[in-house]
Amino acid sequence: MQRLLLPLLALPLFACSAPSASVGVHVGQYALDGDVGLATAAAGGAVNATTSLDGLGLGDDSTSLGADVVINLGVPTLVLSAVQTDYSGNGTLAGDFEVDGVTLPAGTDVASALDVSMYQAFFLFEVVPGDTVDLAIGLGVDMLDFDGSFTGDTDPTAGVAIETLTLDQPVPLPVAGARAAIALGPVDLSAFVTGAAFDFDDVEVSALDVDLRAGFSVFGPLSAFVGYRDNAIEVDYVDGTDAGRIDLSIGGPYLGVRASF
């Protein structure tokens, strides 16, 4: 993430005029839903069975922190954001899990832990500028980073031979999107939508990220906002000797504060 953001954060240094910026922080309650399957690519890369995230014990909501930076460069506007969530619980595999030569067979009881980080770097270009109504379109990069572990009893009947399978799979996506905003008196309403769909080499992806927000001024440069975000992704991949199928959505309400400079 640092490799992605640092070059972008340096861009204002090269702008012809002094940019304006705002920084927001928020806390959210994000729910995780969907299915995941992990296999060995050497066996054909086929994921024949998936297990629901609820079945893995990852169905509880996560209270998470997030931050975003909006830098107005004149043309364009740069939007950077990051949200980190973590989930844990106990469940049972509906299908075999295989990663890096470690196999947990179907029916294994597992202790699951999964961190899902959402990162975004996006350039917006205004097509309908205005103080009341504003519409912008652009291009950027969204990334979901999955970091998890699944520890199970490889022989559930014997209760021996504990194995731990780890998952470390970042999924960066080139995306297109648009943001629409409208000012209604003291309240600013906005919708920010990004998405992608492509089949390239050993990766097939479709993704849609929708962020709805309402903000209002508190005093001076400070404002507050509430919103709802839903990030859905379907990805089939082969990464070295491993293959996976991830079909999930992560979303929920959040609230925060923003300072403008």
Side-chain angles (χ1 to χ4, degrees):
M1 180 56 183
Q2 291 178 339
R3 291 193 300 270
L4 176 66
L5 293 185
L6 287 177
L8 295 173
L9 287 170
L11 284 176
L13 298 177
F14 301 97
C16 294
S17 59
S20 61
S22 66
V23 178
V25 293
H26 67 268
V27 59
Q29 191 77 10
Y30 293 97
L32 189 64
D33 188 29
D35 305 274
V36 62
L38 305 171
T40 300
V47 178
N48 297 317
T50 60
T51 300
S52 71
L53 294 170
D54 189 58
L56 288 169
L58 303 174
D60 293 337
D61 293 354
S62 171
T63 300
S64 308
L65 295 176
D68 66 86
V69 179
V70 179
I71 304 173
N72 187 348
L73 302 173
V75 178
T77 296
L78 173 61
V79 180
L80 306 171
S81 68
V83 177
Q84 292 189 310
T85 64
D86 59 89
Y87 304 87
S88 61
N90 298 299
T92 302
L93 294 178
D96 293 352
F97 267 23
E98 300 174 77
V99 174
D100 292 334
V102 177
T103 300
L104 296 177
T108 300
D109 294 328
V110 293
S112 306
L114 181 65
D115 296 343
V116 182
S117 300
M118 298 183 286
Y119 302 120
Q120 186 176 73
F122 202 87
F123 287 105
L124 283 168
F125 300 84
E126 288 186 328
V127 294
V128 181
D131 295 330
T132 302
V133 177
D134 184 272
L135 176 63
I137 60 175
L139 299 170
V141 177
D142 283 2
M143 184 168 77
L144 286 176
D145 190 4
F146 302 96
D147 184 7
S149 66
F150 306 94
T151 301
D153 196 336
T154 59
D155 184 352
T157 59
V160 294
I162 296 296
E163 292 275 15
T164 296
L165 179 153
T166 59
L167 172 66
D168 183 7
Q169 187 62 51
V171 184
L173 304 172
V175 295
R179 185 185 66 185
I182 183 171
L184 298 175
V187 179
D188 295 319
L189 304 177
S190 67
F192 188 18
V193 180
T194 63
F198 59 87
D199 186 351
F200 177 75
D201 199 7
D202 292 326
V203 180
E204 182 177 351
V205 174
S206 63
L208 182 65
D209 187 0
V210 178
D211 192 350
L212 306 176
R213 183 174 294 189
F216 53 92
S217 177
V218 177
F219 64 88
L222 296 180
S223 61
F225 58 87
V226 296
Y228 187 92
R229 185 175 182 181
D230 185 74
N231 196 337
I233 184 171
E234 295 182 25
V235 55
D236 286 273
Y237 68 88
V238 176
D239 183 8
T241 60
D242 298 319
R245 176 176 298 161
I246 299 171
D247 179 2
L248 64 79
S249 65
I250 177 171
Y254 61 84
L255 58 88
V257 294
R258 174 173 299 280
S260 300
F261 306 93

